Amino acid sequence: MAALERGVRSRKRAALTSIIIPAHNEEQVIGRCLDAILADAEPDEFEIVVVTNGCTDRTDEIARSRGVTVVDSAVASKPAALNLGDATAISFPRMYVDADVEVSAEA
């Protein structure tokens, strides 16, 4: 299913909510996290920004395969990742979710 059909915002129109996910070497869990959020999402409901920070695994590749925005920070720092996610996201309100958490869109 295309990313826009699964609730990820288009660049033309702002999503209702931004979800920022800092991720450091989370290849084992990032796919489940994103799949849970996107499973019940309406089109353009969420702007999802995954901030990889100092990753040495496939976290970036897995997140991109879900059609979400991915930005990279070379520094392995959760506070820096959250700040970069805030600087990248354009929608409000904002939710902050760890990569190892599974939350549905209905939550």
Side-chain angles (χ1 to χ4, degrees), residues 19-22 33 37 82 95-103:
I19 301 175
I20 298 169
I21 305 171
C33 174
I37 294 169
L82 291 169
M95 295 173 47
Y96 303 88
V97 177
D98 283 341
D100 61 348
V101 174
E102 293 180 41
V103 180

Side-chain angles (χ1 to χ4, degrees), residues 44-46 50-51 58 62 67-68 70 78-79 87 89 102 105:
D44 292 324
E45 184 174 3
F46 300 121
V50 174
V51 184
R58 296 177 47 241
I62 295 166
V68 301
V70 178
K78 187 172 184 176
E102 293 180 41

Side-chain angles (χ1 to χ4, degrees), residues 2-100:
L4 292 179
E5 294 172 5
R6 292 174 32 202
V8 179
R9 72 164 171 90
S10 69
R11 294 282 178 192
K12 296 178 183 175
R13 176 171 82 176
L16 296 176
T17 302
S18 290
I19 301 175
I20 298 169
I21 305 171
H24 175 73
N25 290 340
E26 302 285 2
E27 73 178 347
Q28 298 297 318
V29 295
I30 191 68
R32 287 192 307 262
C33 174
L34 294 170
D35 291 345
I37 294 169
L38 294 170
D40 299 318
E42 296 294 325
D44 292 324
E45 184 174 3
F46 300 121
E47 169 194 28
I48 300 175
V49 178
V50 174
V51 184
T52 57
N53 55 97
C55 289
T56 58
D57 65 0
R58 296 177 47 241
T59 301
D60 178 277
E61 176 186 338
I62 295 166
R64 285 184 197 281
S65 75
R66 299 320 196 266
V68 301
T69 300
V70 178
V71 293
D72 184 56
S73 171
V75 180
S77 165
K78 187 172 184 176
L82 291 169
N83 289 335
L84 182 54
D86 269 334
T88 303
I90 60 171
S91 297
F92 287 96
R94 301 219 168 129
M95 295 173 47
Y96 303 88
V97 177
D98 283 341
D100 61 348

